[in-house]
Amino acid sequence: MSTSEKYAGSAFAVVATAIAIAMVRKKWGSRRPPYPPGPKGYPIIGNLFDFPQNPIWEGFARMSQEYNTDILHLDMMGSHMVVLNNSDVAADLLERRSLIYSDRPRMPMVNELMGCAWSFSVMHYGTTWRNHRRLFHRFFNISVADQFDDKIHKAVNVFLRRLAESPERFLKHVHFLTGSLTLSIAYGVDIESESDRFYAASEEAMSAVQVALLPGSFLVDAFPILKHIPEWFPGAGFKTFARKAKKDLDKLADLPFYHVKESFEAKTITDSSFTATCLEELPELAKNGVDEEAIRAVGATIFLAGEETTSSSIQAFFLAVTMHPEVVHLAQRELDEVLGGERLPDFSDKPRLPYISAVIKEVLRWKPPNPLGTPHRLMEDDVYEGWFIPAGATVFDNPWAVFHNESLYPDAHAFKPDRFLKDGQIDPDVKDPEVLIFGCGRRICPGRHFALRLLFLTIARTLAVFDISTCLDEDGNPIVPDGRSTHGLISHPLPFRSDIKPRSDQALSLIAGN
């Protein structure tokens, strides 16, 4: 057989194979169930022009209503996106089928260009993720949830004193509360001001991550090949953004870790922390696949993840009670009945403070810190309720849509803690945002027990000591905040003013010695 005949035969084989594959795909495509409902889209670009404007979680909720579906499907230039706007559907897929829904999308911007792949929050599902998650869970599971109570007490009391000294800076004080506390827990570092080098290292890094994780922020996530274009190329500003963010993230992860490591080796550790304990137990931990890099990565994840989400909820609390001062009065009446104004509330008081618990639940429902949820990636084809969800699809659970569903929470856009109460106690028949807000399945937030304890003590003690209301303008008219929030993956209230004053000298004296 001549060379030309061989090439002709090979070419024929390739063409025949391609035709066969195309026919199989066509046959399967015609026989498989349909995709979930969603806008029709256009060839090649799919639903690019249908992608909702900010805030996208509200846009997805409206789109779900428009197409009368709890499972929304969009084709983003060949990449499939599925948005779950119903908590029962989210539980069915992300929890009961977690074996195939526990991966994360590729995220070229965050993981590859910004270098954040060390965080198990965005890490692909696998052995490394399991090792990091197991290490985190060991320190934050519900059976040891109270081990950080002393640190929480100290941080909250510092927050209250800072609030009394400069109440106009309350939003900054909230950030400092959560940032200083997570630094103390992760590294045993006690800081006194925002200018501290460890605290300062985190601010810009966290802002960059929140922007980059929001779908649609950067085109490189849709076209990963763009990551190879040079930084000087027109339209490659994302490369400059990523380079700076990577430098900030590396600093966030390295600076406090190596500080603790040096102190550990010099035997000058003065305070307990996650990192110090892990370094001490490293010989034993190594048997389960833990090394120094894992300790460094998980420590940074504690700091990175814990600071933003909890500060968002505390700031949302201040926004809510500024807009609704009557909530403050009702909460203070309950606190006074239980405590008599003679001491600050503690964790043991929670069962006797149902209205405070209702306020916390309503804050989480009204302004969820992560309103779109964190993306999952489906690892193999799935069929649910007759709808086909393809492998590789990015899946969001959209907590905002659930929490603003009028059938679950009537008058859902209003702030009403009473919706969670019945006969003066928490109503078990109302869906609990504390259960839903942290995700579900194998990717559920492992720090949720710690976060809820911090929320309770901060909100209860703030209300015990301070009156909070709207500010007044020059004519004595109330300056009511408009309630708007940022549009990042973690959503914060936009800056607003609030009138914060001690309830009395006696109330102020409760924080003087703490």
Side-chain angles (χ1 to χ4, degrees):
M1 182 181 294
S2 67
T3 302
S4 61
E5 289 175 329
K6 288 181 180 178
Y7 283 136
S10 298
F12 176 78
V14 170
V15 172
T17 302
I19 293 173
I21 292 173
M23 291 177 66
V24 169
R25 286 179 174 173
K26 183 177 181 180
K27 184 177 180 181
W28 164 243
S30 64
R31 294 177 60 183
R32 65 160 173 74
Y35 294 124
K40 185 176 181 181
Y42 298 92
I44 301 177
I45 63 172
N47 300 119
L48 181 62
F49 295 138
D50 298 305
F51 198 81
Q53 299 297 310
N54 286 326
I56 60 177
W57 41 86
E58 294 186 27
F60 283 139
R62 288 192 297 270
M63 196 178 293
S64 183
Q65 292 177 344
E66 179 183 350
Y67 290 94
N68 192 29
T69 181
D70 292 325
I71 313 176
L72 186 68
H73 171 263
L74 292 93
D75 177 355
M76 302 304 294
M77 295 179 290
S79 298
H80 297 273
M81 178 180 292
V82 175
V83 184
L84 312 177
N85 295 296
N86 179 291
S87 60
D88 294 331
V89 174
D92 281 346
L93 297 182
L94 304 183
E95 184 171 336
R96 297 182 183 92
R97 303 186 188 185
S98 62
L99 182 63
I100 60 173
Y101 280 91
S102 294
D103 199 12
R104 291 285 191 232
R106 179 178 171 183
M107 303 182 192
M109 185 65 178
V110 171
N111 285 342
E112 299 166 30
L113 292 176
M114 292 169 55
C116 198
W118 45 258
S119 173
F120 71 83
S121 296
V122 295
M123 188 181 292
H124 284 299
Y125 185 75
T127 301
T128 303
W129 175 83
R130 282 190 289 268
N131 289 340
H132 287 210
R133 168 88 177 205
R134 189 183 302 117
L135 184 61
F136 186 103
H137 185 262
R138 180 183 175 196
F139 287 84
F140 289 90
N141 69 80
I142 192 169
S143 65
V144 294
D146 60 353
Q147 68 171 314
F148 299 118
D149 283 357
D150 288 345
K151 289 181 179 289
I152 293 177
H153 277 104
K154 180 179 178 180
V156 170
N157 290 338
V158 169
F159 166 73
L160 296 175
R161 290 196 293 271
R162 290 167 67 94
L163 196 59
E165 293 167 1
S166 52
E168 72 282 356
R169 301 186 72 244
F170 68 99
L171 293 175
K172 292 286 187 182
H173 297 329
V174 171
H175 260 301
F176 186 78
L177 162 64
T178 56
S180 61
L181 178 57
T182 50
L183 267 172
S184 178
I185 289 171
Y187 304 107
V189 173
D190 288 327
I191 61 175
E192 296 182 358
S193 72
E194 289 91 340
S195 61
D196 185 279
R197 61 182 180 134
F198 298 113
Y199 183 84
S202 70
E203 291 298 283
E204 293 190 14
M206 287 188 285
S207 297
V209 170
Q210 302 314 321
V211 171
L213 282 174
L214 193 67
S217 295
F218 294 99
L219 199 58
V220 69
D221 286 324
F223 298 102
I225 195 172
L226 292 177
K227 75 174 189 172
H228 298 294
I229 67 175
E231 191 171 323
W232 53 262
F233 196 81
F238 70 93
K239 297 287 291 286
T240 304
F241 179 95
R243 177 169 52 81
K244 184 181 184 306
K246 185 179 187 307
K247 181 179 178 181
D248 292 335
L249 282 163
D250 288 343
K251 189 175 182 180
L252 177 148
D254 290 342
L255 191 64
F257 173 77
Y258 287 109
H259 168 78
V260 177
K261 184 180 177 183
E262 290 173 6
S263 299
F264 175 76
E265 292 172 347
K267 299 184 178 178
T268 57
I269 295 287
T270 58
D271 193 8
S272 62
S273 69
F274 164 84
T275 301
T277 301
C278 288
L279 289 174
E280 183 178 357
E281 299 178 1
L282 185 55
E284 187 64 27
L285 292 173
K287 298 176 182 178
N288 294 316
V290 173
D291 55 15
E292 282 194 5
E293 173 55 31
I295 298 170
R296 168 189 171 275
V298 176
T301 300
I302 293 171
F303 187 28
L304 187 66
E307 199 275 352
E308 283 293 298
T309 53
T310 313
S311 68
S312 168
S313 294
I314 297 173
Q315 289 178 349
F317 155 74
F318 276 95
L319 176 63
V321 296
T322 298
M323 297 173 68
H324 302 278
E326 70 279 3
V327 171
V328 176
H329 302 148
L330 291 171
Q332 289 175 340
R333 181 189 305 169
E334 179 180 76
L335 286 162
D336 292 343
E337 289 175 355
V338 172
L339 307 173
E342 298 177 355
R343 63 179 178 86
L344 293 173
D346 211 339
F347 295 113
S348 60
D349 297 310
K350 186 176 181 181
R352 297 187 295 163
L353 298 171
Y355 190 77
I356 299 293
S357 294
V359 169
I360 294 171
K361 294 179 190 298
E362 182 69 342
V363 165
L364 293 173
R365 184 206 67 83
W366 183 61
K367 291 283 186 182
N370 187 0
L372 187 59
T374 307
H376 295 239
R377 176 185 174 275
L378 178 58
M379 291 182 280
E380 61 182 58
D381 291 343
D382 192 20
V383 176
Y384 178 76
E385 298 291 333
W387 303 115
F388 176 69
I389 308 176
T394 298
V395 183
F396 289 91
D397 57 343
N398 200 0
W400 190 93
V402 175
F403 294 152
H404 291 78
N405 184 330
E406 291 287 337
S407 65
L408 295 176
Y409 305 102
D411 199 7
H413 291 273
F415 185 83
K416 294 182 175 181
D418 286 340
R419 73 174 77 246
F420 292 102
L421 296 172
K422 183 178 181 180
D423 299 327
Q425 298 298 319
I426 295 297
D427 185 353
D429 294 328
V430 180
K431 274 189 177 290
D432 188 352
E434 292 183 12
V435 175
L436 303 173
I437 193 63
F438 295 104
C440 54
R442 302 183 187 190
R443 288 286 187 167
I444 191 171
C445 174
R448 59 195 182 279
H449 309 298
F450 165 78
L452 289 172
R453 292 179 79 80
L454 174 57
L455 274 177
F456 170 77
L457 200 70
T458 302
I459 289 175
R461 291 196 168 188
T462 297
L463 290 168
V465 177
F466 295 98
D467 284 323
I468 306 171
S469 60
T470 54
C471 293
L472 302 178
D473 64 17
E474 296 177 352
D475 298 321
N477 299 313
I479 306 172
V480 182
D482 59 19
R484 292 185 299 160
S485 299
T486 62
H487 298 151
L489 186 74
I490 305 300
S491 179
H492 290 265
L494 289 171
F496 62 96
R497 294 176 59 190
S498 182
D499 187 19
I500 303 172
K501 298 175 181 177
R503 297 180 65 191
S504 64
D505 290 340
Q506 181 181 355
L508 200 58
S509 69
L510 296 177
I511 63 175
N514 287 287

